[in-house]
Amino acid sequence: TIGLTVFAIKKYVVFLKLFLETAEKHFMVGHRVIYYVFTDRPAAVPRVALGPGRRLQVLQVRAYARWQDVSMRRMQMIADFAERRFLGEVDYLVCVDVDMRFRDHVGVEILSPLFGTLHPGYYRSPREAFPYERRPQSQAYIPRDEGDFYYLGGFFGGSTREVQRLTRACHQAMTADRAKGVEAVWHDESHLNWYLLHHKPTRVLSPEYLWDEQLLGWPPVLKKLRFVAVPKNHQEIRKSDPESSEAQPPAPDTGR
Amino acid sequence: MAQSLRVLSGKQKRSLLPVTSFLLVGLILSFCGYSYLITQNQNPKSKLAGASKAVGQLHSQQQLKRLPRTVYPQPDVLKPSRQDVLLVTPWLAPIVWEGTFNTDLLNEQFRLQNATIGLTVFALRKYTLFLRVFLDTAERYFMVGHRVNYYIFTDQPDHVPHVLLREGRQMVILKAQSHARWQDISMRRMEVISNFSQQRFLGEVDYLVCSDVDVKFSDHVGVEILSSLFGTLHPGYLKFRRDNFAYERRPQSQAYIPEDEGDFYYTGALFGGSVLEVYRLTKACHQAMMIDQANGIEAKWHDESHLNKYLLHHKPTKVLSPEYRWDKEHL
């Protein structure tokens, strides 16, 4: 059984319908799937018809004011739920961004004890150009002569046990940073990269598995675009929400 | 299930310190949590029960340990390390060729696991003559820097040479029955390995490598070969189409493989994996050979035919290139 975690906080609930509908068509078809939808607005979760052996769990969580915190606290929430619940319910966990849609097959070829995905913007870059956290004060610090790849914060996973370890470690590292008054340059993604440098993934997904066609086109090296960014109206999504009191913009998109 | 991907470890390797700090952090976080988890049962008793269950699971599985800082060239996403050979099977198992792996990195990973590797070899009748060169060269090239147990099965324990072994390596001499026919000597290895896997190897080593004895190591053979289950490409069949593989072709045999099936032709001279997977393989092959024997049939290449049948239906998680088993006649 495969668990798919996705966070739809505040206005991001609007991405759920397309995400779930396309997941039904392309994600782990023929296998048992549990969608874990973390949201602060359970009533806004759309009702999508699910195939046999597939179900959806709404997990209500709090919304943080800053989008950086919304993004980073995903690690803590996944770790907590992994320890209390997922370990008994699913064999694998796949953790992805919500402002996306599936466009082609994403199946069991991705599953292994621990996997990361190559960031579409950096798979051709030399390691010195990777946007790792470069300040030694941060737990996520990686020196310029180290680093295998630049992994995406928006698509990682593995066995439930390994994902629990990864997310717990990243959350602990971010907590240590916060105590020192440091915030890593790309937040949870910086910490994910540190973790995967020191705990090598057992499988790595090519950029087919997370792409932004609007930003990056469709180069010939990609035979398929499997999971792609949904074009966003940035102004609209960043407009302050009358239902809540925050003034900050919500979680970032994946292209840079 | 995820468990089938993990190596069975016969020994408790972890100290309790990381476990208790994990528990402590987990408990602290849960108890001073924001209570935003409306769907969660907040009963403290169930939290402790959950935590102790997690501890039990931690002990039963291998943990990817943290690697220290190592400096090495960056992998090139757009340039494969070899262009002349297949680097990965259709089921995403790596094929191990020189140039595709970094020895230092892999050694680091396996040292962190404190892995012990068992090497089984059968020296019956005149084959004891091969032991000196086999063991001398193994000491030079096989899993250097790691803990190794040589399991030498022989009908003449006195004929096993005294070889000076490096630190962390030991030789275990085990009495084995000889047979009149060489085919039987070859085939009965499966039975012996499966029995000893269950009785002994499970508690002593993490991985088993099963080799012929009439070979010598002439270059590095290290932890890059280790995974749950590996087979080795037979050097004589690299350019052959599958309908020309030397599989057993008679449907009456348990080792039968039809002409339109088959990934590779694996050699019976070198296979291995975790103790659990090697146990499963050798037991299955032995049982298949017993059925054949009862039906009055013997597979064309004996244990090798049955090995090929098994690996067709239980895909190996790594495949070794013929660098790992070469004969001069195939040059």
Side-chain angles (χ1 to χ4, degrees):
Chain A
T1 311
I2 301 110
L4 180 61
T5 70
V6 74
F7 286 74
I9 307 286
K10 294 187 281 194
K11 281 209 155 165
Y12 276 62
V13 291
V14 74
F15 292 106
L16 277 173
K17 186 160 195 296
L18 185 61
F19 179 92
L20 292 168
E21 281 171 354
T22 55
E24 279 298 294
K25 286 212 199 78
H26 298 291
F27 181 76
M28 304 290 170
V29 175
H31 296 274
R32 299 169 57 83
V33 172
I34 304 179
Y35 297 103
Y36 293 112
V37 177
F38 292 79
T39 183
D40 59 334
R41 302 178 184 180
V45 176
R47 294 247 282 269
V48 174
L50 301 180
R54 301 166 82 95
R55 59 190 171 98
L56 191 149
Q57 287 283 332
V58 177
L59 304 169
Q60 181 158 6
V61 294
R62 65 166 279 185
Y64 283 84
R66 296 173 66 238
W67 63 264
Q68 298 90 336
D69 287 316
V70 172
S71 185
M72 292 193 291
R73 288 285 179 174
R74 295 186 294 178
M75 289 294 188
Q76 176 183 22
M77 293 175 186
I78 294 171
D80 286 346
F81 273 90
E83 283 148 26
R84 291 175 200 186
R85 189 177 177 149
F86 299 158
L87 276 169
E89 285 187 359
V90 291
D91 304 294
Y92 295 94
L93 273 175
V94 178
C95 308
V96 297
D97 281 354
V98 73
D99 49 350
M100 311 286 298
R101 64 184 175 100
F102 291 88
R103 217 163 107 163
D104 210 324
H105 170 98
V106 174
V108 295
E109 71 280 356
I110 74 176
L111 300 178
S112 80
L114 182 62
F115 71 82
T117 307
L118 298 181
H119 192 296
Y122 294 97
Y123 68 95
R124 309 177 92 107
S125 305
R127 55 163 54 129
E128 303 80 25
F130 290 162
Y132 291 148
E133 172 54 59
R134 299 298 188 186
R135 293 164 297 170
Q137 306 90 310
S138 167
Q139 300 292 307
Y141 167 59
I142 295 175
R144 289 206 179 261
D145 59 351
E146 286 182 53
D148 304 303
F149 306 107
Y150 191 73
Y151 301 100
L152 258 167
F155 198 156
F156 64 89
S159 68
T160 313
R161 174 54 71 192
E162 287 304 332
V163 172
Q164 178 270 321
R165 286 187 180 127
L166 180 157
T167 51
R168 181 55 66 199
C170 285
H171 174 62
Q172 281 171 349
M174 288 187 281
T175 304
D177 269 9
R178 199 174 304 118
K180 278 206 219 155
V182 175
E183 191 171 270
V185 61
W186 286 109
H187 324 105
D188 44 302
E189 188 173 90
S190 304
H191 291 275
L192 175 78
N193 271 278
W194 186 92
Y195 187 88
L196 291 179
L197 172 63
H198 293 285
H199 310 75
K200 307 282 185 216
T202 52
R203 220 161 257 193
V204 176
L205 308 189
S206 70
E208 294 169 2
Y209 287 85
L210 202 148
W211 193 255
D212 188 326
E213 197 179 356
Q214 210 179 26
L215 271 176
L216 302 165
W218 191 333
V221 72
L222 295 179
K223 304 285 180 227
K224 286 190 172 189
L225 301 183
R226 303 175 187 270
F227 186 54
V228 296
V230 170
K232 277 202 306 246
N233 184 332
H234 286 255
Q235 275 190 324
E236 188 59 40
I237 204 100
R238 283 173 184 170
K239 238 169 33 192
S240 70
D241 193 333
E243 285 171 45
S244 63
S245 55
E246 323 93 9
Q248 296 289 336
D253 63 5
T254 51
R256 291 210 182 96
Chain B
M1 291 288 282
Q3 272 150 356
S4 64
L5 294 174
R6 294 200 183 87
V7 171
L8 179 78
S9 174
K11 302 193 268 193
Q12 300 301 335
K13 294 201 172 49
R14 247 154 271 104
S15 76
L16 276 174
L17 188 54
V19 171
T20 48
S21 57
F22 155 81
L23 246 186
L24 215 50
V25 172
L27 284 173
I28 288 170
L29 283 174
S30 0
F31 278 106
C32 65
Y34 303 98
S35 72
Y36 52 74
L37 303 165
I38 292 171
T39 54
Q40 209 51 42
N41 180 4
Q42 296 290 308
N43 181 358
K45 211 166 160 189
S46 69
K47 279 201 185 65
L48 283 171
S52 64
K53 179 170 175 246
V55 172
Q57 282 176 329
L58 247 180
H59 275 298
S60 70
Q61 288 157 19
Q62 287 282 8
Q63 180 168 356
L64 294 179
K65 296 246 176 77
R66 191 215 136 143
L67 288 168
R69 166 181 158 85
T70 27
V71 178
Y72 51 86
Q74 178 186 357
D76 190 331
V77 171
L78 297 174
K79 210 163 66 150
S81 44
R82 294 281 296 261
Q83 307 240 12
D84 51 340
V85 290
L86 185 66
L87 295 181
V88 75
T89 68
W91 57 92
L92 294 176
I95 306 179
V96 184
W97 301 88
E98 178 59 24
T100 61
F101 61 93
N102 181 318
T103 307
D104 296 327
L105 207 47
L106 290 170
N107 274 333
E108 201 73 62
Q109 281 185 321
F110 280 89
R111 278 304 322 157
L112 284 173
Q113 284 178 38
N114 201 15
T116 308
I117 300 107
L119 177 58
T120 70
V121 78
F122 286 74
L124 295 158
R125 304 209 305 225
K126 286 232 151 116
Y127 278 63
T128 50
L129 289 170
F130 290 106
L131 277 173
R132 170 150 288 285
V133 171
F134 180 89
L135 291 168
D136 279 344
T137 55
E139 278 300 292
R140 267 188 78 188
Y141 292 114
F142 181 77
M143 305 288 171
V144 175
H146 298 273
R147 299 166 58 84
V148 172
N149 290 0
Y150 297 103
Y151 295 110
I152 302 179
F153 293 91
T154 181
D155 56 342
Q156 310 147 78
D158 302 327
H159 285 225
V160 176
H162 289 295
V163 176
L164 191 59
L165 300 181
R166 292 175 197 253
E167 199 186 320
R169 300 162 85 94
Q170 54 169 333
M171 203 182 329
V172 180
I173 302 174
L174 301 162
K175 197 101 173 23
Q177 195 190 351
S178 179
H179 300 272
R181 296 173 68 235
W182 66 263
Q183 297 90 335
D184 288 315
I185 292 180
S186 185
M187 293 194 291
R188 286 285 170 171
R189 295 185 295 178
M190 290 293 188
E191 180 184 26
V192 174
I193 294 170
S194 76
N195 287 342
F196 275 85
S197 295
Q198 208 182 19
Q199 293 161 11
R200 185 169 183 153
F201 299 155
L202 209 56
E204 289 183 359
V205 296
D206 303 294
Y207 297 94
L208 274 175
V209 178
C210 307
S211 171
D212 276 2
V213 73
D214 53 347
V215 291
K216 63 174 178 152
F217 293 86
S218 53
D219 211 321
H220 168 97
V221 174
V223 293
E224 71 280 356
I225 75 176
L226 300 178
S227 74
S228 307
L229 181 63
F230 70 83
T232 308
L233 298 179
H234 191 297
Y237 294 90
L238 296 178
K239 298 188 176 201
F240 282 51
R241 280 202 335 254
R242 57 163 50 131
D243 51 2
N244 286 321
F245 285 165
Y247 292 149
E248 173 54 59
R249 298 300 189 184
R250 293 166 294 172
Q252 301 87 334
S253 167
Q254 298 297 303
Y256 167 62
I257 296 176
E259 304 230 327
D260 60 350
E261 286 181 46
D263 305 300
F264 306 108
Y265 192 76
Y266 300 101
T267 173
L270 185 61
F271 63 89
S274 68
V275 178
L276 183 60
E277 290 302 332
V278 172
Y279 168 70
R280 286 185 175 135
L281 180 157
T282 51
K283 186 151 171 107
C285 286
H286 171 63
Q287 283 171 343
M289 288 189 279
M290 291 295 100
I291 294 171
D292 269 10
Q293 193 177 68
N295 290 333
I297 186 169
E298 190 171 270
K300 179 162 157 185
W301 286 109
H302 324 102
D303 44 304
E304 187 174 89
S305 304
H306 291 275
L307 175 78
N308 271 278
K309 178 71 180 262
Y310 186 86
L311 291 178
L312 173 63
H313 294 290
H314 307 77
K315 305 291 187 209
T317 52
K318 258 185 205 175
V319 175
L320 307 189
S321 69
E323 292 166 4
Y324 288 87
R325 175 72 178 110
W326 193 255
D327 280 334
K328 279 201 283 273
E329 62 202 50
H330 298 295
L331 277 169

